[in-house]
Amino acid sequence: MDIGVTLPTHGLMTRTAGGDAILRNLPAAEMRPVEYAVRAEALGYHSAWLSDHVVTERATTVAHPSNASGARVYPDRPVMLDVVATLGAISSRTTTLRLAPSVYIAPYRHPLNAAHQFATLDNLSGGRLIVGVGVGWETGEFAALGVSYADRGRIIEEAIQVYRAAWTEPWIDFRGEFFDIRDVSMDPKPVQRPHPPIWYGGMSPVAARRAARFCDGFYPMYLDGSADPTRLAPLIEVIRDEAGRRGRDLTGFRLGAFCQVMVTDRPDDRFGAARPPLTGSAEQILHDLRRFADLGYSHITVHFDCPAGTTAEWEEQFEGFGTEILPEAAGITHRDLF
């Protein structure tokens, strides 16, 4: 099993007793993504994953997908590093660590611009990019960027098709509802052939169908304290059914998950006697990782739960997971679903 790590470029995550995920602000100078990425590579993490937002609204009116209660995830005026620029900096100091947005909100940017940035990043990194994409959820951010929230699903479907054309065709000719691109070229092409893998981040049947039609992997979130891999198991059948209807061969299709994790040998009184999945000792977390693998997950991105809200706490878990869990996790074999 591959294990990626979320670097704290949008602050430190924790979880309330009710299961809500919340972020605490971290000054940009304390985020240290390049330093942490270098260390992640040395420890044996498969990949570094970075969150993506451009702005946040003063008052959020739509709940984050991980918080059913409607609780706000981001604090007021959150400090957030740009995902592509930061991945570029990381690529210059690493050699094997794979690089990914978790996830890139594709409707916010013109797909030619995004495709060019990602092709450049894949070249500069020697072919280490994974393109995680999603539709986004914050209505105020869409409004500020001048993008239709209602149309975001159809926009991302066209955007992914433009990415593929830009990365594989000598001349790009795409005519859709939102993008009309005629007879232009984009070079260099990515190092990876035919193109960097595209993973679709989502938690709904619509997202699963979109992943089956356009992408190379499906990447749901488990950030609400109930990281039970069986919860979204029905979406695997949705992927299979959609691929069958489209006549698509799913050989090589990946199933990954974005999970909140806490490495600790101490009882956590936030949750009473219950132990949230992927929380606890190395042995307990390895047991949970095997459950994910049995359901077909070949990749987990860990997002450390830091109730104290300090970088020292994050570093302790980052190092502990890397030394106590990663070596054993590398030997976990996933069930081949596709």
Side-chain angles (χ1 to χ4, degrees), residues 314-331:
W314 188 90
E315 290 171 2
E316 181 181 4
Q317 294 198 63
F318 172 63
E319 292 284 340
F321 194 104
T323 56
E324 299 174 31
I325 298 173
L326 273 185
E328 293 293 329

Side-chain angles (χ1 to χ4, degrees), residues 31-107:
M31 291 178 177
R32 296 151 54 194
V34 176
E35 177 184 331
Y36 287 143
V38 170
R39 182 59 180 156
E41 183 171 87
L43 286 168
Y45 285 93
H46 166 266
S47 42
W49 296 71
L50 276 60
S51 298
D52 178 39
H53 278 287
V54 180
V55 296
T56 59
E57 56 192 335
R58 190 188 300 267
T60 303
T61 57
V62 176
H64 187 277
S66 67
N67 286 358
S69 72
R72 183 181 174 102
V73 171
Y74 278 80
D76 290 339
R77 298 187 60 201
V79 179
M80 306 180 295
L81 297 186
D82 178 78
V83 61
V84 176
T86 308
L87 288 174
I90 289 170
S91 76
S92 71
R93 292 280 307 280
T94 54
T95 57
T96 60
L97 190 73
R98 301 209 69 176
L99 314 168
S102 182
V103 290
Y104 187 79
I105 306 174

Side-chain angles (χ1 to χ4, degrees), residues 196-267:
I198 304 171
W199 291 13
Y200 195 88
M203 302 168 65
S204 68
V206 170
R209 286 192 290 271
R210 201 168 277 142
R213 293 200 305 274
F214 301 110
C215 298
D216 308 295
F218 185 54
Y219 183 66
M221 290 191 304
Y222 293 91
L223 298 183
D224 61 357
S226 58
D228 180 353
T230 64
R231 189 182 68 190
L232 297 179
L235 297 183
I236 296 170
E237 292 306 316
V238 173
I239 291 169
R240 285 202 188 102
D241 291 346
E242 183 69 15
R245 281 193 294 271
R246 304 278 175 165
R248 182 185 174 186
D249 181 2
L250 288 176
T251 301
F253 189 91
R254 298 286 302 273
L255 189 62
F258 180 33
C259 298
Q260 201 154 347
V261 174
M262 187 167 71
V263 185
T264 180
D265 289 318
R266 300 182 296 272

